Amino acid sequence: MTPDTEDFQSAYVSAGLDAAVCCASILELLLKDDSAKVVDGASLACGTVDMHVQELERYDSQEPELEQKIFRHPLMQRELRRQREDLDLLETMSLSSSDIEVLARKWRNPAASNIDRH
């Protein structure tokens, strides 16, 4: 269960909700081995960046080139690159205890989130 977004006033409420739902998807993946949960998590991460870029750049939601602008934005390109690198890394791993340690170091303490928040 995630916190009710109505209880918070931060501009990052939606990003926080996305992160909580992503964590729940990962737990479901571990319990049910459902690869759709990986896609759910990746989509939530991209959705967070998409919304942040729209607010950051003050894009008009009716703008015809909106999706292309968001796609080309450095934050979205970084997110897509990170996801590709993570998939490439996972393909080479057997998920031994040493592999899990590598993943934990990589994912646990990034310098900033996918929307550059610390």
Side-chain angles (χ1 to χ4, degrees):
M1 174 178 245
T2 59
D4 186 345
T5 58
E6 297 296 318
D7 293 342
F8 301 91
Q9 301 301 313
S10 171
Y12 304 108
V13 167
S14 180
L17 177 62
D18 287 350
V21 173
C22 188
C23 289
S25 290
I26 291 169
L27 291 173
E28 287 180 47
L29 168 69
L30 295 172
L31 293 172
K32 299 178 185 171
D33 195 24
D34 180 359
S35 61
K37 298 303 176 187
V38 174
V39 175
D40 291 346
S43 295
L44 286 165
C46 285
T48 296
V49 175
D50 184 299
M51 184 181 300
H52 181 70
V53 167
Q54 285 185 59
E55 292 173 8
L56 180 69
E57 302 297 340
R58 298 187 176 160
Y59 290 149
D60 179 357
S61 63
Q62 302 303 313
E63 193 171 333
E65 299 285 318
L66 178 64
E67 289 306 314
Q68 291 85 0
K69 284 183 174 183
I70 293 169
F71 177 77
R72 288 189 304 262
H73 193 277
L75 286 176
M76 183 60 80
Q77 287 298 304
R78 184 179 69 191
E79 176 61 25
L80 294 171
R81 187 172 42 258
R82 184 193 58 78
Q83 288 186 19
R84 170 51 49 206
E85 289 169 359
D86 287 349
L87 287 172
D88 290 344
L89 179 62
L90 287 168
E91 283 181 342
T92 68
M93 295 183 152
S94 62
L95 294 183
S96 65
S97 60
S98 62
D99 288 342
I100 291 171
E101 288 177 26
V102 167
L103 292 174
R105 279 193 305 275
K106 180 177 181 3
W107 293 341
R108 193 169 278 145
N109 292 311
S113 73
N114 62 348
I115 58 173
D116 277 348
R117 304 304 336 143
H118 301 277

